[in-house]
Amino acid sequence: MNNIILTGRLTHEPECSFIPGSKTLVCKFNLAVSIDFKNKNGEYDTDFIPIELFGQSAEYCQSYINKGMKVLIQGSLRVDRFENNKGEKKTYAKVAGKRIEICESKKQDKEAAEFIESENNDEVPF
């Protein structure tokens, strides 16, 4: 079974276009995903995973998804193998997303932080 679920933030605006010769929309972006173990410096690293969405998921992405938003992606891992101009064999891994959900946006994070700060600064009425 090839099933992957990722949660992370978009590193740039989705790049959307139609597949040449078809009416199928494709949206591409990178997802910043935190790794859940510390490196030798005691810090958490981040992976940048290439994502591709097609069809209705791509249409949703084009309309509602922006840079910095936290999203959940469900899909499958795809591995492309090709030969470059120099004759070198290359391998490229990406996630072919089937489903995308908005978890939150950076704006929501900022608004939540401002709300919490304002709540903490209020005087207790008794």
Side-chain angles (χ1 to χ4, degrees), residues 4-18:
I4 188 165
I5 298 172
L6 298 170
T7 302
R9 293 193 183 275
L10 275 73
T11 62
H12 57 82
E13 292 294 327
E15 298 168 5
C16 301
S17 61
F18 287 94

Side-chain angles (χ1 to χ4, degrees), residues 15-65:
E15 298 168 5
C16 301
S17 61
F18 287 94
I19 295 174
S22 78
K23 296 180 181 179
T24 303
L25 184 66
V26 60
C27 287
K28 300 176 182 182
F29 56 88
N30 287 329
L31 195 67
V33 178
S34 298
I35 299 173
D36 54 343
F37 59 87
K38 294 180 182 180
N39 63 21
K40 64 182 179 182
N41 299 327
E43 300 168 344
Y44 291 101
D45 283 331
T46 301
D47 281 335
F48 299 93
I49 314 286
I51 309 290
E52 288 185 353
L53 297 170
F54 298 90
Q56 289 181 332
S57 294
E59 291 171 15
Y60 178 83
C61 179
Q62 184 179 38
S63 298
Y64 301 106
I65 306 298

Side-chain angles (χ1 to χ4, degrees), residues 84-96:
N84 68 11
N85 301 358
K86 299 177 184 177
E88 301 168 329
K89 294 183 180 189
K90 299 288 182 176
T91 303
Y92 179 75
K94 61 187 173 191
V95 172

Side-chain angles (χ1 to χ4, degrees), residues 59-74:
E59 291 171 15
Y60 178 83
C61 179
Q62 184 179 38
S63 298
Y64 301 106
I65 306 298
N66 296 304
K67 175 183 176 180
M69 292 181 98
K70 187 173 185 179
V71 297
L72 178 138
I73 301 288
Q74 180 182 9

